[in-house]
Each structure stands twice: as structure tokens, then as C-alpha cells.
Amino acid sequence: MKALPFSLLTAAALILTGCGAPAETATQEVSPTSSPSASAATLKKDTVPLLTTCMSLFGEGSSSLATESLVFLRDVESIDADTAETADAYATRFAEVAETAKPELAEPLHEMRILFEDFVQAHEDSGSWSVGDSFAAAKDKVVETCTPELDAADKAVSGAAPAVTDDEKFLNALRSAHPAMKSTDTVNQLEVAKIFCDVYDTGVEKGTEKEAAIASDGLVTAPAGIEYTHEELKSIRKLGVTTFCPQHLDKVP
């Protein structure tokens, strides 16, 4: 089995925020096309190990169904023929994975499937669509079930984990906080993080901590939207200070 060095990080992709109804849609919600209990009744008796299902959801590359589909929900801007076709494909894939999953994963996976079926139905009916509480509960259940399975697989394959450097700790934490960052330049991410430490260090050395705080805030707000979002820059600052200069944590908002 291939090692899964980022298992916990891929599982964290299910915590993506910003999923909601596209701006162009109406306000009335679409009724679910089916119920979890009815879906569960159609499951095959033969199931596969939990790890197998989790790998189908969080595997590397194109098999990363959970991560892929939630990035789609986060980024979708309208209900149209193309997005409905994509949603239908995700609904089919969730159904296929759920069909042989153990009960603790089959039920939440069917709940997630229903959301994408509702999206398709909204397109057919020219109606609206939104992510409800039942979907949030389902994705949380999948994370809760798969994270220890994937973590155990990591440890079994890699044996004793090598020492993790501060740079790796920072980058892993940043990926966990923002799994869908457009920028993948890790060298730049590290440089930006360490600049915040330099700013605070200089403020302490010269007795200009107030000015350093203002400069730090400027580094978060001024370049926002160029390579990183405002929230990503806030995370880079907080995680960078936590990792590289924790003595300045009391200065980070």
C-alpha cells in the first residue's frame, strides 16, 4: 500500500467553508429527492473494509471524491447544464462508493449523494438549492470515521515517523487550514510567514512594537487578493508566528 502522508489533511478538506446556494438561484429550497433510510435499504450485503471506502473518498489524484466534490460545492456560482452534469456525476460516484461501504459510512455517503441529486433537480425545475444541516452532519461523520483509518494506514506503512521540521509543520498546518489554496508555491509561503516574525523581532529590538503591529496588519490587508486571500494571509501570519516565533503570539490578533 502506498503511504498516505497527508491523510489527515485530505480528510480536513471536508471542513471547507463557503458552500451555499449560487447567487443566481431563487430562495425556495428544493425538497430532497429521496431519504437516507430508503437509500440504505438498497445497499448490497457485501461490504468492503472501512479503509477501502476511505481511500475511495480521499485517495490521491482523481480518486479523491470527497475533496473534489466539496471544492465543487465551494466554487460553484450558478445552476446550469454544465454544473448540473457535474453534480450528477458526483451523485453517481457517491452512490457507487456507498453501495459497498459499511453502514457507518454508507448512510452519510447517501446523505451526501442526495445533496447533488437535489442540485440536478433544481436545474430541471428551475428552482433553488442550498446546503443544509443534514449534509454538514454527514460530512462530519465521514471525517470522524475516515481520519483514524487513514492515520493508522500511514503509521503502518511508514513505521516510525521521521522528525518533522518546522517548515513542514507550518506547511502541513497551512494545507489543513486551506486545502484548496490556488497558490502552491511553498517557498513563497514560508518566506511570507517568516517575514511576519522579522517584523515582530524588529519591533521588539527597536522598541517600536506598536508600529510593528500596524506593519503586520498591512502585510495581511494590502496584498490580499493578489496571490493569497485575506483569510489565507491571516492564517499564514498566525501559523508562521506559532511555528517560527511563538514568543510573539501575544501580538497576533
Side-chain angles (χ1 to χ4, degrees), residues 6-19 57-58 64-74 112 135 139-140 142-143 147 150 175-180:
F6 302 117
S7 61
L8 294 180
L9 304 178
T10 52
L14 283 174
I15 311 301
L16 288 170
T17 58
C19 299
L57 296 169
F58 300 106
S64 179
L65 173 57
T67 305
E68 282 181 50
S69 62
L70 284 158
V71 168
F72 166 79
L73 292 181
R74 186 202 63 183
M112 296 173 76
F135 179 82
K139 67 183 177 67
D140 288 347
V142 172
V143 169
T147 296
L150 294 171
R175 291 190 193 99
S176 181
H178 301 282

Side-chain angles (χ1 to χ4, degrees), residues 80-214:
D80 54 37
D82 290 337
T83 56
E85 182 179 1
T86 301
D88 186 55
Y90 284 132
T92 299
R93 290 172 64 187
F94 272 112
E96 291 171 347
V97 175
E99 190 175 19
T100 57
K102 289 189 179 296
E104 54 265 52
L105 279 178
E107 186 170 349
L109 289 176
H110 274 296
E111 190 68 54
M112 296 173 76
R113 169 187 61 82
I114 289 170
L115 175 74
F116 291 98
E117 290 181 347
D118 287 347
F119 188 103
V120 176
Q121 192 66 44
H123 174 253
E124 294 176 355
D125 298 341
S126 298
S128 66
W129 165 87
S130 64
V131 179
D133 293 340
S134 59
F135 179 82
K139 67 183 177 67
D140 288 347
K141 179 61 177 177
V142 172
V143 169
E144 177 186 345
T145 304
C146 281
T147 296
E149 291 291 322
L150 294 171
D151 189 37
D154 284 350
K155 294 177 180 177
V157 171
S158 60
V164 179
T165 66
D166 285 345
D167 285 3
E168 290 170 332
K169 288 178 183 178
F170 166 78
L171 292 172
N172 288 344
L174 184 60
R175 291 190 193 99
S176 181
H178 301 282
M181 288 180 70
K182 291 183 179 180
S183 173
T184 57
D185 187 344
T186 56
V187 173
N188 182 262
Q189 291 165 4
L190 288 165
E191 288 177 350
V192 173
K194 293 174 182 179
I195 284 173
F196 287 108
C197 287
D198 291 340
V199 169
Y200 290 126
D201 285 340
T202 301
V204 171
E205 291 171 5
K206 296 186 176 181
T208 55
E209 294 186 37
K210 183 176 180 180
E211 289 79 0
I214 295 173

